[in-house]
Amino acid sequence: YWLRGYSDGLIDASLLRSIEEQEVANRLVPMLQRTIPWGPSEAILTGLGQEHFARGESKKPVFGAFEQAVDEVTIGALAADRRQLREGDRVTVLNREFTISRVLIANGSVDDLRVYASLDTVQAMLELPGKLNEIRALECRCDPSVADPEQHLRSILEPMLPGTRVIRQDRLADARRK
């Protein structure tokens, strides 16, 4: 995780259902990511699934801008720049042709190398049906009195997710918490 920005392990997508009723994380985003050869360099193929809301809540999706049609991709700024690609161009990824629906602005992170597609599409392309390597949990509900939010989250979520590890992105989480 720390070397690539994503876990290279796999979990079954059914684990997402096992955490839908917990009380500490609201928005749950299933993902599958792998580094792939792409032209003369590499890209991070990232499948994003539909955002789930814990406890059946209904909210406007945060990741809605990334929802892709089966034949579309969104690509990071550096991935686009390396291949001189623009929105509307056709591009081949792992022998499959897509239309670029959006090119993201550079943010100086590994996200600049990503090629985003729908989770189902990426699972099929990588021959990993029903597999994930990350479930992003946004809007974690940690009371301000909780001294160690990461340990609190782990104590609740890890027993529900056997074989996984909960990682808190402190900078982002603390900004949201404040």
Side-chain angles (χ1 to χ4, degrees):
Y1 174 85
W2 288 273
L3 288 173
R4 293 188 173 118
Y6 64 88
S7 170
D8 57 2
L10 293 171
I11 59 174
D12 196 271
S14 65
L15 284 179
L16 181 63
R17 287 187 292 282
S18 70
I19 61 171
E20 287 181 339
E21 296 304 316
Q22 49 68 39
E23 294 294 325
V24 294
N26 184 22
R27 298 170 184 270
L28 305 168
V29 181
M31 300 174 74
L32 178 61
Q33 306 167 83
R34 287 288 185 261
T35 300
I36 60 166
W38 201 40
S41 59
E42 297 177 323
I44 302 171
L45 181 59
T46 303
L48 287 175
Q50 182 178 17
E51 195 168 335
H52 294 258
F53 302 101
R55 300 165 306 279
E57 293 181 17
S58 177
K59 297 184 177 202
K60 182 178 179 180
V62 170
F63 285 96
F66 288 97
E67 289 184 18
Q68 301 293 314
V70 172
D71 63 342
E72 292 181 339
V73 292
T74 292
I75 62 175
L78 187 54
D81 188 55
R82 284 181 173 173
R83 301 195 65 195
Q84 300 177 349
L85 297 170
R86 302 198 187 302
E87 290 177 10
D89 287 353
R90 299 287 291 167
V91 65
T92 301
V93 180
L94 294 181
N95 300 317
R96 186 165 172 174
E97 196 167 307
F98 295 92
T99 299
I100 298 171
S101 63
R102 183 173 169 202
V103 175
L104 301 175
I105 60 169
N107 68 12
S109 77
V110 70
D111 294 337
D112 291 341
L113 292 172
R114 292 190 188 275
V115 175
Y116 293 92
S118 73
L119 178 60
D120 292 340
T121 299
V122 170
Q123 288 170 328
M125 291 171 70
L126 296 174
E127 298 179 0
L128 294 170
K131 298 297 180 187
L132 308 173
N133 61 353
E134 186 173 330
I135 300 172
R136 291 249 170 123
L138 305 175
E139 295 183 14
C140 294
R141 296 179 175 166
C142 291
D143 187 274
S145 66
V146 174
D148 186 346
E150 184 170 24
Q151 184 54 39
H152 177 69
L153 293 169
R154 283 183 176 168
S155 71
I156 294 169
L157 296 174
E158 284 183 351
M160 297 176 176
L161 300 166
T164 68
R165 179 164 184 184
V166 171
I167 297 170
R168 183 174 186 263
Q169 294 180 335
D170 289 333
R171 206 168 26 119
L172 295 171
D174 287 341
R176 290 184 71 87
R177 190 174 184 202
K178 289 176 183 173

